[in-house]
Structures are given as structure tokens and as C-alpha cells.
Amino acid sequence: MRRVRERVQVSAHRAGAGDDVALENTRAAFVAALELEVDFVEFDVQRCGDGTLVIRHDPSFLHGDSEVRLADLTSAEAHALLPDLLTYDDVLEMLAGRRAAHIDLKASVARDPRHAVAATASAVERLGADGFVVTTGSDQAVRAIRDWSDEQGLDLLVGLSLGGNVRGRSVREQVRIRLSELLPHRRLQRSRASVVVAHHSLARLGVARFARRRGLPLLVWTVDTPRSLAHWLRPGGAWLVTSNHPALALAVRAARERRHLKH
């Protein structure tokens, strides 16, 4: 069993772009995050129609009056429309040897577990088995990655994400999903997740207590206010906290540690 560290780790969510949506997952955001003493840099991975993995949170974007899906474009076509779009390989190269990666595989990658495993294998090759945590909301993808890592003799951090967007689903389906997140034992057992990943509201509603009882590392997203950061960055509060404002998170953690030294 992997032991949870005393010091809560900090991850720069979407490369720490803050409130600037246009900056999310961009090279400028990664450069700024690497200048901070964050422990992890988080980014979102989508899949283009030709199989190329790119860094973007949403699976589609507006071009003029039309909504364009990355899954309908080749990598070259996507870059023509989004010149600042980074590839997965770009980001792995930037982070290698500098910061640990928090790799969030979106549905366009994770819906086929083979693609999720291939993305994880690339991360192992470029970052090393201890150089990243990979997360996704797909139970099947988590299970496939865990099974693959066992076959390779690797002890990877693989997280099942709880608390994602359920808009567009029927009320019955929304209720079913939320109950499975508040009582995640069966999903975690079936997926074999080695990390519990929860939105901060779900974590407060009992998921954090669940993770602690079972000795599983807890990754909490996305924590941005000073009060909430102070709560989750206390020793034992979580293993890793992601924030859109990593500089603030680091300042809150440092202030807590200074107070502890005084006492």
C-alpha cells in the first residue's frame, strides 16, 4: 500500500491558467506553472480523428458560427484552426525531469481503453512510472490501465474521477451517477483505482472519509478559495490538491507550515 505523504501536494489545474480560459493548457500557462514550486502540473488530453493526442479541456470549439469537434479533425487540421494547440508529446517533453504530470484523460481518449493504455505507456516512457498520476472518469479505462501496469510490473497512480459534469443526462441517470459517487466502493473496487479523485464538494460529503478509511490517496479538485485551500492543504486532508490558482495554493501551504514551525 502506498503511504500518503504528510505534506499535501499542489497541482496546477489546466497548467494553472487561473480565471483566463484562453490561457488554459497553453504553452504560456505551462511555462508559468514551471516557474512555480508546484508538485504537479495538470492538463487535459483529447484525441483527434487521426489518433493524435492533444491538450485541450473541451472536445469541441467554435470556428465562426460552427462547432467543430476535434474527433472530426486530423492533427494538422486542428492546428490550422487552433495554432496554439499543444500535442501530448509536447507537454510530456516540457515536464520530463522538471515536474510530475497530472494527466487527465478525457472521454475522447478514455472511451476506448486501448487508447487510455497507450497514452499511459507514453507517459511511462517519457516521465517514468513515478513521474505522473493519470486520472479519468471512465471505470473501464482505469481498470485497463491498472491491468496493463500489473502486466508490466509497474506500480502506477491511477485515479477514478468522481463529480464530473452530468448535464444533458436524464434526471434518473444523474441521480444514479451521483449516488455511485457518494458511495463509490463498488466502482473503485471494479476499476481497481489506486487513487480516489473527487470534486471538493463530493470530498466534503464523505468521499474524503471513505478514502482515508481505506488508505487510498485522495486527489481533490478544483480548490481555489483561501478558506477551501486552508482546509484541504492541512496535513492529512488530502494527498494532492489541484487549483486554478497554484501560486495562492503554495502561499497558503507555506503559511500553514510556518505557523506549524512556530508551535
Side-chain angles (χ1 to χ4, degrees):
M1 181 67 66
R2 192 184 299 268
R3 298 188 65 180
V4 179
R5 296 180 183 180
E6 178 70 14
R7 188 189 211 196
V8 180
Q9 309 290 285
V10 171
S11 177
H13 186 245
R14 301 185 194 177
D19 298 319
D20 188 349
V21 176
L23 195 61
E24 292 176 353
N25 290 312
T26 62
R27 186 176 295 276
F30 279 99
V31 169
L34 287 170
E35 292 176 353
L36 300 173
E37 292 301 317
V38 292
D39 306 288
F40 286 76
V41 179
E42 190 266 359
F43 54 93
D44 306 292
V45 185
Q46 300 279 0
R47 190 172 186 269
C48 289
D50 62 358
T52 303
L53 299 181
V54 295
I55 309 306
R56 191 172 176 84
H57 181 266
D58 296 330
S60 62
F61 58 94
L62 287 177
H63 180 62
D65 295 328
S66 302
E67 184 173 4
V68 181
R69 296 195 319 148
L70 287 167
D72 295 331
L73 303 175
T74 65
S75 174
E77 291 167 340
H79 279 94
L81 298 176
L82 299 169
D84 294 331
L85 187 67
L86 294 170
T87 68
Y88 185 51
D89 287 341
D90 289 334
V91 172
L92 294 183
E93 182 177 351
M94 276 193 285
L95 296 181
R98 302 184 69 185
R99 295 291 186 277
H102 173 184
I103 303 166
D104 194 32
L105 301 179
K106 297 302 184 184
S108 62
V109 181
R111 68 168 55 97
D112 187 331
R114 295 173 300 176
H115 300 323
V117 168
T120 304
S122 294
V124 170
E125 181 180 353
R126 302 293 291 276
L127 305 176
D130 293 329
F132 66 96
V133 56
V134 59
T135 63
T136 179
S138 167
D139 302 46
Q140 293 76 19
V142 171
R143 178 62 184 249
I145 294 170
R146 289 280 285 138
D147 289 347
W148 173 83
S149 67
D150 284 352
E151 293 170 2
Q152 304 300 313
L154 301 173
D155 182 21
L156 299 184
L157 289 166
V158 187
L160 177 65
S161 297
L162 307 172
N165 192 341
V166 294
R167 286 197 301 268
R169 298 177 181 268
S170 68
V171 173
R172 183 175 181 178
E173 185 70 2
Q174 290 184 36
V175 170
R176 185 192 68 78
I177 292 171
R178 289 301 183 232
L179 284 175
S180 77
E181 294 171 337
L182 286 168
L183 302 168
H185 174 71
R186 182 171 296 179
R187 291 184 63 189
L188 289 165
Q189 186 177 49
R190 289 178 176 174
S191 68
R192 301 187 60 236
S194 56
V195 179
V196 179
V197 185
H199 186 269
H200 61 85
S201 59
L202 273 177
R204 284 181 181 268
L205 287 173
V207 174
R209 187 166 57 252
F210 172 90
R212 283 195 289 269
R213 283 202 306 264
R214 285 159 177 78
L216 290 170
L218 174 68
L219 191 165
V220 182
W221 59 276
T222 302
V223 186
D224 289 337
T225 66
R227 183 175 180 179
S228 192
L229 284 166
H231 174 81
W232 289 113
L233 288 170
R234 73 193 193 285
W239 163 65
L240 177 65
V241 169
T242 69
S243 179
N244 288 308
H245 304 287
L248 174 61
L250 292 171
V252 169
R253 186 175 71 178
R256 172 176 285 280
E257 290 175 347
R258 286 195 297 271
R259 288 195 300 271
H260 176 72
L261 287 174
K262 288 180 180 179
H263 297 289

